[in-house]
């Protein structure tokens, strides 16, 4: 009897942990969606703080089942609300944005490193060289401007003589590129892409008929506004 | 801006729940003490007291630390085993102190913010 009771208690505890995990997962996902889509590397300082806090708060009711879950959920949504308010304020006011997120710092000006600025942002020369290498820049003298952005990325503008030649420089006229969109994925037609491309399903069928294929046999088909398409059949063959 | 509206709705909803929960928990705490007094005065049986508490506990568990509620459950369970008044008073005081802790946790006083 005692053993049975222990098993039942353990099962109830497990079920409550699973339920809590599911609810908190859905809540945190919803909260992050409300905050907006950004990658960790692109986050502003206040967004990073909020994200870290949310993950910490969500962990508390998971670890301590004695804590009512409502407290965790309430804290998460208050943080999301604050984040949205702060981001709106930062969007409306330049001084608010500077206060919350800081401002970009020019690290290299006309090939000369601003050592004072580097000290201010606590950036070492090794960090700078690493970041430059990440931008395919191996000679500091080639840099006209290097700006350390508030999210920690280094934006680099090369001197004119170090820049790669562009189509504009050699006065070539090329047709505008149009974005190819996936119109069939794993045998299923993506009608949203067709609408974006202003292509009717009948036109798509015409292309497929021309290629003697049915949409069900296609793994991936991309199409652009010019009608250029790539078709990969299930099994891997390109037609 | 379009994110502000759902976030504001959720925030208002949560703040409302917090206020309602505060009132609800305080009322239930007082009701529990009343019921225990009724038990002491032989107005209700121990099984009736336990069943009333179980109902209250399930609802209060949404907002109150489960550890506190479990402690009260144990103390209420002990009530029927106590025979003399002095022992009952000790258990009653224990329940009262846990209820005070619950109320302090729900309190909107300044000290609860730090």
């Amino acid at each position: 009897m005692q053993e049975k009771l222990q098993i039942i208690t353990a099962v109830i505890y497990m079920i409550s942990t699973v339920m809590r995990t599911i609810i908190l997962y859905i809540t945190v996902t919803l909260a992050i969606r409300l905050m907006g889509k950004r990658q960790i590397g692109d986050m502003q300082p206040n967004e990073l703080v909020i994200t870290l806090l949310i993950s910490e708060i969500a962990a508390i009711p998971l670890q301590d089942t004695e804590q009512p879950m409502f407290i965790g959920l309430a804290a998460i949504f208050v943080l999301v609300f604050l984040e949205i308010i702060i981001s709106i304020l930062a969007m409306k006011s330049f001084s608010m944005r500077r206060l919350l997120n800081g401002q970009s710092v020019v690290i290299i000006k006309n090939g000369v490193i601003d050592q004072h600025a580097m000290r201010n942002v606590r950036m070492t020369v090794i960090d700078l060289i690493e970041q430059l290498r990440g931008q395919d820049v191996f000679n500091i003298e080639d840099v006209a401007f290097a700006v350390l952005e508030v999210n920690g990325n280094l934006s680099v503008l090369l001197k004119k003589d170090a820049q790669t030649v562009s189509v504009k420089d050699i006065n070539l006229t090329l047709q505008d590129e149009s974005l190819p969109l996936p119109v069939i994925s794993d045998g299923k037609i993506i009608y949203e892409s067709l609408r974006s491309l202003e292509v009717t399903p009948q036109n798509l069928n015409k292309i497929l008929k021309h290629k003697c294929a049915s949409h069900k046999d296609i793994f991936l088909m991309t199409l652009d506004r010019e009608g250029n398409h790539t078709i990969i059949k299930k099994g891997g063959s390109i037609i | 801006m379009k994110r502000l509206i759902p976030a504001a709705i959720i925030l208002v909803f949560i703040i409302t729940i917090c206020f309602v929960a505060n009132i609800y928990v305080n009322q239930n705490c007082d009701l529990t003490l009343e019921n225990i007094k009724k038990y002491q005065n032989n107005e209700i049986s121990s099984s009736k007291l336990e069943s009333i508490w179980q109902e209250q506990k399930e609802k209060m568990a949404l907002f109150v630390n489960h550890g506190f509620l479990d402690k009260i459950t144990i103390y209420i369970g002990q009530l029927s085993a106590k025979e003399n008044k002095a022992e009952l008073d000790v258990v009653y005081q224990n329940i009262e102190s846990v209820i005070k802790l619950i109320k302090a946790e729900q309190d909107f006083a300044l000290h609860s913010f730090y």
Side-chain angles (χ1 to χ4, degrees):
Chain A
M1 186 68 186
Q2 188 83 20
E3 260 180 37
K4 266 188 183 174
L5 204 67
Q6 276 178 345
I7 293 167
I8 291 167
T9 313
V11 169
I12 290 170
Y13 182 79
M14 285 296 290
I15 291 169
S16 88
T17 307
V18 170
M19 290 301 287
R20 274 174 175 246
T21 311
I22 292 168
I23 293 169
L24 280 162
Y25 171 75
I26 293 167
T27 308
V28 173
T29 309
L30 187 72
I32 300 287
R33 283 285 293 120
L34 267 174
M35 273 167 57
K37 213 186 277 180
R38 285 228 190 176
Q39 288 182 347
I40 295 282
D42 300 333
M43 280 181 181
Q44 301 295 340
N46 63 311
E47 291 170 338
L48 184 67
V49 169
I50 298 274
T51 310
L52 291 175
L53 277 175
I54 285 179
S55 61
E56 283 292 318
I57 288 167
I60 294 169
L62 281 183
Q63 288 171 336
D64 183 2
T65 45
E66 283 196 352
Q67 288 291 335
M69 216 164 51
F70 175 75
I71 290 171
L73 300 184
I76 288 170
F77 281 110
V78 170
L79 281 173
V80 170
F81 181 76
L82 281 177
E83 207 288 313
I84 292 170
I85 290 290
I86 286 170
S87 62
I88 289 171
L89 286 176
M91 208 166 66
K92 301 268 178 204
S93 154
F94 179 75
S95 51
M96 193 64 160
R97 187 161 57 240
R98 208 164 61 178
L99 179 76
L100 291 167
N101 303 331
Q103 58 180 354
S104 313
V105 178
V106 178
I107 301 289
I108 301 174
K109 206 172 178 180
N110 292 322
V112 181
I113 299 172
D114 185 342
Q115 294 180 26
H116 180 69
M118 279 186 68
R119 267 198 297 277
N120 278 347
V121 294
R122 290 182 294 280
M123 188 183 206
T124 64
V125 183
I126 306 293
D127 292 335
L128 177 65
I129 291 170
E130 267 181 24
Q131 293 240 37
L132 286 172
R133 279 203 300 260
Q135 306 258 5
D136 290 333
V137 180
F138 293 89
N139 189 355
I140 291 175
E141 286 179 357
D142 290 342
V143 179
F145 283 98
V147 182
L148 186 68
E149 307 293 356
V150 285
N151 59 14
N153 290 340
L154 191 75
S155 303
V156 180
L157 176 70
L158 292 174
K159 286 179 179 171
K160 285 273 176 212
D161 54 357
Q163 284 179 10
T164 46
V165 179
S166 68
V167 174
K168 198 175 152 190
D169 292 329
I170 50 176
N171 290 325
L172 265 177
T173 43
L174 294 173
Q175 261 194 333
D176 283 341
E177 283 281 333
S178 72
L179 181 72
L181 293 174
V183 286
I184 298 175
S185 170
D186 209 11
K188 289 186 184 90
I189 298 172
I190 306 169
Y191 291 98
E192 208 179 322
S193 299
L194 290 181
R195 277 194 293 276
S196 301
L197 295 166
E198 291 167 6
V199 174
T200 59
Q202 288 78 15
N203 288 344
L204 182 72
N205 281 333
K206 267 184 202 169
I207 298 170
L208 291 174
K209 233 179 206 173
H210 183 70
K211 295 282 179 184
C212 302
S214 158
H215 67 85
K216 284 174 188 164
D217 308 324
I218 292 165
F219 177 67
L220 175 71
M221 177 178 175
T222 60
L223 186 69
D224 66 14
R225 279 180 184 273
E226 269 68 56
N228 302 318
H229 57 265
T230 307
I231 300 172
I232 302 170
K233 279 184 102 174
K234 282 181 183 170
S237 60
I238 299 171
I239 51 172
Chain B
M1 235 6 182
K2 70 174 181 185
R3 290 199 178 93
L4 183 65
I5 297 159
I9 291 168
I10 293 170
L11 186 76
V12 169
F13 181 65
I14 282 170
I15 290 171
T16 313
I17 291 178
C18 285
F19 274 102
V20 172
N22 183 272
I23 297 163
Y24 179 78
V25 169
N26 276 312
Q27 276 178 351
N28 271 284
C29 285
D30 294 337
L31 198 67
T32 307
L33 288 174
E34 267 178 39
N35 286 334
I36 293 165
K37 267 191 179 159
K38 275 184 191 169
Y39 171 77
Q40 279 181 309
N41 298 333
N42 291 323
E43 288 172 34
I44 54 169
S45 64
S46 66
S47 58
K48 175 82 177 162
L49 177 68
E50 277 179 41
S51 69
I52 293 171
W53 169 247
Q54 277 305 323
E55 272 178 36
Q56 285 177 312
K57 185 189 164 186
E58 279 168 22
K59 287 166 189 163
M60 279 166 79
L62 270 170
F63 313 108
V64 178
N65 188 308
H66 299 182
F68 290 148
L69 300 177
D70 291 339
K71 270 184 190 168
I72 296 175
T73 309
I74 293 166
Y75 290 139
I76 287 177
Q78 285 174 353
L79 280 172
S80 58
K82 306 293 173 191
E83 283 171 358
N84 62 51
K85 197 178 179 301
E87 281 180 335
L88 276 173
D89 282 346
V90 171
V91 179
Y92 180 73
Q93 277 167 10
N94 286 338
I95 295 171
E96 205 173 27
S97 57
V98 177
I99 284 177
K100 268 184 189 166
L101 283 173
I102 294 173
K103 280 186 167 184
E105 210 182 43
Q106 300 285 319
D107 205 4
F108 280 123
L110 186 66
H111 66 81
S112 57
F113 290 109
Y114 49 80

